[in-house]
Amino acid sequence: MASVACIGECMVELRQAQGGASAGQGQGGGLYSRGFGGDTLNTAVYLARLEAKVDYLTALGDDGLSDEMIAAWNAEGVGTRRVVRLAGKLPGLYMIQTDAKGERQFFHWRDSAAARQLMNLPETDELLNSLMSYDIVYLSAITLSIYDASGRERLFTAIKRARLLGTRFVFDTNFRARGWPDRDVAREVFAAAFAAADIVLTSTEDLLALYPGESHEQLMARIPTPELVFRLAEPVSLLRFPGGTHEVRAEPMTKPVVDTTAAGDSFAAAYIAARLGGSDPVEAAQAGHRLASLVICYPGAIIPGYAMPPKKRHRPAATRLVTK
């Protein structure tokens, strides 16, 4: 079975529960439910639900919340053998607020989170050497933003080494400005990731924040990767892959949007799972849109297991996954 390594950070997630404010609280107050989430962790969970073999690579503390995370990932079928536990450290925390249209706003407390140290540990070399044993390494710009420059260089070196043995690198441009010291640093890191990647998953939302005013054609031209999925503001993806380009439109929504959290993360999972299962890029993008359209109808990053779509068999791909 093809295997995927997802690298990143999982945090404690707080989201406002249904119902009004509690007594003594001001407008916007009330009860919050607690869960766990993070962009690459969300993708790992959805990959596991889509029957991909996936490990999550991160660092956690030795606290009870970290124990709960490990138990929850194991229950979802996400491998935890590559999780480093650090004494005295804690996971980060974020809170989600959503407006009436389901659009979300995030608030983070993560500066001293264990995951930020992953590229600077005694265990780091062994962890990075393990990347050669996977078919795909998946990470996001958020992953890269939590490491310092030397940590990012260490990670890129390991990915390039793994690619020589056939591992493919999938980069998701999930961009959050608050995670970067400035946009010039982000642009430099993005360029390095684009140059190393086999598949890039990106969007106008991410790229226009870094390259304002550019057209779709200009933005896509910045990415030399052989396989590119470019999601527009409307539910449409522009695909570029060896042999041609294509436009894929999502099917019309039949249910109201509740929370757009993890829309891109679930799209990435369905796309990767479909490609590993033998689908071509067009079919994979269709699968991505289907899952994302379902996920945004539920609150929080991870929807209930019973809400997952029926599993589909993938037919042999007309376009193979390629390594540059």
Side-chain angles (χ1 to χ4, degrees):
M1 179 185 294
S3 58
V4 183
C6 291
I7 309 174
E9 178 184 19
C10 181
M11 292 175 284
V12 179
E13 176 191 272
L14 298 179
R15 57 184 173 85
Q16 197 158 17
Q18 298 295 322
S22 300
Q25 295 175 313
Q27 186 177 5
L31 298 176
Y32 282 79
S33 61
R34 176 170 64 81
F36 304 115
D39 64 337
T40 56
L41 185 278
N42 301 335
T43 299
V45 169
Y46 286 117
L47 276 167
R49 290 184 177 184
L50 294 169
E51 299 185 337
K53 182 180 179 182
V54 57
D55 286 338
Y56 197 58
L57 282 60
T58 192
L60 290 175
D62 58 354
D63 59 292
L65 289 172
S66 296
D67 290 340
E68 288 185 32
M69 286 185 182
I70 292 287
W73 303 347
N74 284 328
E76 287 282 1
V78 175
T80 57
R81 58 183 173 146
R82 309 292 188 196
V83 178
V84 182
R85 304 295 296 271
L86 302 180
K89 299 298 290 185
L90 294 168
L93 179 147
Y94 72 100
M95 182 173 66
I96 302 173
Q97 287 187 345
T98 54
D99 62 20
K101 296 181 179 180
E103 292 299 324
R104 76 282 194 208
Q105 184 177 12
F106 296 93
F107 302 87
H108 293 85
W109 295 264
R110 67 195 299 197
D111 289 347
S112 61
R116 301 181 77 91
Q117 298 184 20
L118 187 64
M119 292 298 123
N120 299 289
L121 297 172
E123 300 90 344
T124 301
D125 283 342
E126 179 182 356
L127 190 78
L128 293 178
N129 286 335
S130 75
L131 299 183
M132 294 183 285
S133 66
Y134 294 92
D135 295 283
I136 282 180
V137 171
Y138 169 82
L139 58 84
S140 72
I142 292 179
T143 302
L144 296 174
S145 73
I146 68 175
Y147 308 137
D148 60 21
S150 63
R152 288 191 289 265
E153 181 60 30
R154 201 173 179 183
L155 177 56
F156 279 139
T157 298
I159 289 173
K160 292 173 183 177
R161 187 168 61 243
R163 291 181 71 242
L164 294 175
L165 297 178
T167 298
R168 294 168 295 256
F169 171 34
V170 180
F171 176 57
D172 192 325
T173 63
N174 206 359
F175 176 69
R176 298 292 181 269
R178 70 176 70 86
W180 299 92
D182 59 60
R183 279 174 167 75
D184 286 337
V185 172
R187 292 184 190 105
E188 181 179 352
V189 174
F190 271 53
F194 292 156
D198 298 289
I199 301 174
V200 169
L201 306 175
T202 190
S203 67
T204 52
E205 179 182 7
D206 291 339
L207 293 189
L208 285 176
L210 285 175
Y211 312 104
E214 293 196 0
S215 67
H216 295 164
E217 293 76 15
Q218 289 173 315
L219 294 172
M220 294 176 71
R222 288 184 173 277
I223 305 173
T225 184
E227 187 168 327
L228 172 63
V229 181
F230 184 61
R231 300 187 305 276
L232 306 185
E234 61 267 31
V236 176
S237 292
L238 303 179
L239 309 183
R240 187 188 69 210
F241 49 87
T245 59
H246 204 89
E247 178 183 287
V248 175
R249 291 187 172 272
E251 297 176 1
M253 295 286 296
T254 58
K255 296 181 180 180
V257 174
V258 174
D259 184 352
T260 58
T261 303
D265 309 334
S266 56
F267 181 102
Y271 187 91
I272 293 169
R275 291 294 277 132
L276 287 174
S279 293
D280 64 32
V282 173
E283 293 169 324
Q286 291 169 341
H289 280 301
R290 281 195 298 270
L291 183 56
S293 295
L294 180 63
V295 167
I296 63 177
C297 296
Y298 292 83
I302 305 297
I303 65 174
Y306 63 77
M308 290 292 292
K311 296 180 176 63
K312 293 188 176 182
R313 292 183 178 272
H314 300 291
R315 62 191 185 192
T319 304
R320 294 173 58 84
L321 281 169
V322 297
T323 300
K324 291 187 290 185

